[in-house]
């Protein structure tokens, strides 16, 4: 095969990844735990072609020219070439069905889809954990999008990262939840997660305490998921999110990802919960708020979010499958 197309979904961390023990290999400083989300997706086709004199990468029909973004993909393809012993350059076409410019998590689905499409196009037959290791080299959170449903990213201990990959905890059929994404701003976020993490690690006095509490959160989240205990999962997810943001806020200079609408949504979710609606929030390295509820409460939850001043849109997602190959051409 020289061409392959893969589809992957983003994932949202319920126990956050925020810190690395190795920058080059994206080895995390702590474990993390996520849910893969159908409703948003990346489709990527990769074709290795001996006629090419360099990698060509298209995102939503536009050729990537920004050196940093292109270099991140080319370095990733170099790793696939090294693993397969082939030297051909690649034509990469990738499409996101969600607003990339809104600053939503796109690196997870992007590198999960790229890992699968590029390794298949290069005839590498990788196991799920080998694919997860490969995806991690593109972006730490991408390692989790190889799996559907709930996935846990193992921290690993080896310096080469071969034991730092995600594992599936429960597939997408395990628990019929909804995750509503409240969009609160247009445009890219000011500090990407890679730089935000770095700044937190190097200057926040709260970084070490943040990392120290992750193993307990992982254990609590695992138990809540196994028991389908919504309230317990909400407690650990909000705690992990707020502690991650606290560590970033305490960096020097402090990193604040939230806007006033983000804060209004936090209050709105907590008020709705106090009034009896089963609901909890989480927030990544940006101003949008992801709100979880059981499937039968989706409409009620969406109405509340749309009523919050400053909310631009609400996307509805549900547990989704892991990265998989598609037959069709893009
Ligand atoms: C806040 O995976 O985007 O979304 O490994 O540098 O590419 P890199 O970082 P990335 O970080 C994700 C951070 C987060 C939390 C999470 O998804 O666990």
């Amino acid at each position: 095969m020289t061409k392959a197309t893969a589809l992957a979904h983003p994932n949202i961390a319920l126990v956050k990844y925020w810190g690395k023990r190795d920058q080059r290999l994206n080895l995390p400083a702590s474990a993390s735990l996520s849910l893969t989300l159908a409703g948003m997706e990346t489709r990527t086709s990769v074709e290795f072609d001996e006629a090419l004199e360099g990698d060509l990468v298209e995102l939503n029909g536009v050729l990537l020219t920004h050196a940093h973004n292109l270099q991140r993909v080319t370095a990733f393809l170099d790793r696939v070439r090294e693993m397969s012993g082939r030297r051909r350059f690649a034509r990469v076409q990738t499409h996101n069905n969600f607003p990339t410019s809104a600053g939503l998590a796109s690196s997870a689905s992007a590198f999960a889809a790229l890992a699968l499409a590029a390794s298949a196009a290069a005839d590498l037959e990788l196991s799920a954990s080998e694919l997860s290791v490969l995806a991690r080299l593109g972006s730490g959170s991408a390692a989790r999008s190889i799996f559907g449903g709930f996935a846990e990213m193992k921290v690993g201990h080896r310096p080469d990262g071969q034991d730092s990959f995600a594992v599936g905890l429960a597939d997408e059929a395990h628990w019929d939840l909804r995750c509503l994404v409240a969009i609160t701003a247009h445009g890219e976020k000011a500090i990407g997660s890679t730089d935000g993490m770095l700044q937190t690690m190097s200057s926040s006095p709260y970084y070490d305490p943040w990392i120290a509490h992750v193993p307990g959160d992982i254990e609590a989240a695992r138990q809540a998921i196994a028991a389908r205990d919504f309230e317990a999962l909400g407690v650990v997810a909000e705690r992990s999110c707020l502690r991650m943001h606290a560590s970033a806020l305490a960096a020097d200079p402090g990193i604040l990802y939230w806007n006033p609408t983000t804060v209004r949504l936090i209050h709105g979710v907590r008020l709705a919960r106090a009034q009896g609606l089963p609901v909890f929030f989480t927030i990544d390295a940006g101003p949008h708020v992801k709100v979880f509820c059981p499937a039968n409460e989706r409409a009620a939850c969406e109405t509340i979010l749309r009523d919050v001043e400053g909310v631009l849109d609400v996307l509805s997602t549900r547990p989704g499958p892991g990265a998989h190959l598609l037959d069709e051409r893009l």
Side-chain angles (χ1 to χ4, degrees):
M1 201 187 286
T2 54
K3 176 162 184 176
T5 301
L7 188 152
H9 297 288
N11 67 76
I12 179 77
L14 295 163
V15 178
K16 302 294 184 195
Y17 150 55
W18 196 250
K20 304 184 193 193
R21 63 189 162 85
D22 182 304
Q23 308 297 326
R24 193 177 58 86
L25 298 174
N26 286 335
L27 298 182
S30 60
S32 57
L33 191 152
S34 63
L35 180 63
T36 297
L37 300 176
M40 298 196 270
E41 64 183 44
T42 300
R43 274 166 199 254
T44 297
S45 78
V46 176
E47 181 172 26
F48 289 101
D49 183 346
E50 59 190 358
L52 292 176
E53 291 177 1
D55 293 319
L56 291 179
V57 183
E58 255 181 36
L59 173 60
N60 293 336
V62 179
L63 209 56
L64 278 194
T65 47
H66 186 275
H68 175 72
N69 293 341
L70 185 60
Q71 203 269 335
R72 206 167 158 189
V73 177
T74 298
F76 188 87
L77 292 168
D78 283 344
R79 178 72 188 120
V80 174
R81 282 185 277 263
E82 194 186 313
M83 288 166 75
S84 64
R86 298 187 188 180
R87 303 180 57 176
R88 290 180 192 170
F89 289 111
R91 184 176 298 109
V92 177
Q93 288 178 304
T94 185
H95 287 264
N96 288 329
N97 79 338
F98 54 94
T100 321
S101 60
L104 288 166
S106 56
S107 67
S109 52
F111 282 102
L114 184 62
L116 183 55
S119 60
D123 284 325
L124 287 167
E125 281 176 25
L126 302 183
S127 66
S129 27
E130 287 168 331
L131 268 175
S132 181
V133 165
L134 179 60
R136 190 203 69 228
L137 297 174
S139 184
S141 54
R144 300 184 308 235
S145 275
I146 296 300
F147 296 89
F150 293 94
E152 180 183 334
M153 177 72 190
K154 299 284 181 191
V155 61
H157 298 289
R158 289 174 52 154
D160 67 3
Q162 291 305 310
D163 59 351
S164 184
F165 49 76
V167 296
L169 292 179
D171 71 15
E172 61 272 28
H174 175 70
W175 198 355
D176 201 13
L177 297 178
R178 293 294 177 271
C179 174
L180 301 179
V181 183
I183 309 286
T184 67
H186 295 297
E188 301 280 349
K189 55 200 173 198
I191 311 175
S193 32
T194 308
D195 293 338
M197 267 184 224
L198 205 63
Q199 195 170 313
T200 305
M201 288 164 64
S202 63
S203 66
S204 174
Y206 298 169
Y207 176 67
D208 289 341
W210 145 249
I211 293 295
H213 285 85
V214 176
D217 285 348
I218 291 280
E219 188 48 41
R222 266 197 220 128
Q223 285 178 17
I225 290 162
R228 296 191 191 86
D229 183 337
F230 187 84
E231 196 183 328
L233 188 60
V235 167
V236 64
E238 287 192 5
R239 182 169 76 202
S240 177
C241 161
L242 293 174
R243 284 178 178 170
M244 175 207 122
H245 284 275
S247 74
L249 279 166
D252 190 12
I255 305 166
L256 175 58
Y257 284 110
W258 305 348
N259 62 31
T261 307
T262 317
V263 178
R264 277 193 288 270
L265 280 159
I266 295 175
H267 288 296
V269 166
R270 289 191 157 179
L271 180 64
R273 187 163 64 230
Q275 292 171 343
L277 192 71
V279 63
F280 66 82
F281 68 84
T282 186
I283 306 161
D284 282 331
H288 314 299
V289 181
K290 286 88 173 186
V291 179
F292 283 78
C293 63
N296 63 345
E297 302 286 9
R298 189 202 60 79
C301 187
E302 184 170 339
T303 303
I304 287 170
L305 300 182
R306 286 197 185 272
D307 263 4
V308 172
E309 184 195 334
V311 169
L312 302 173
D313 199 4
V314 177
L315 311 179
S316 183
T317 70
R318 61 178 68 202
H324 50 278
L325 287 170
L326 301 174
D327 286 337
E328 53 179 334
R329 288 181 64 98
L330 273 177

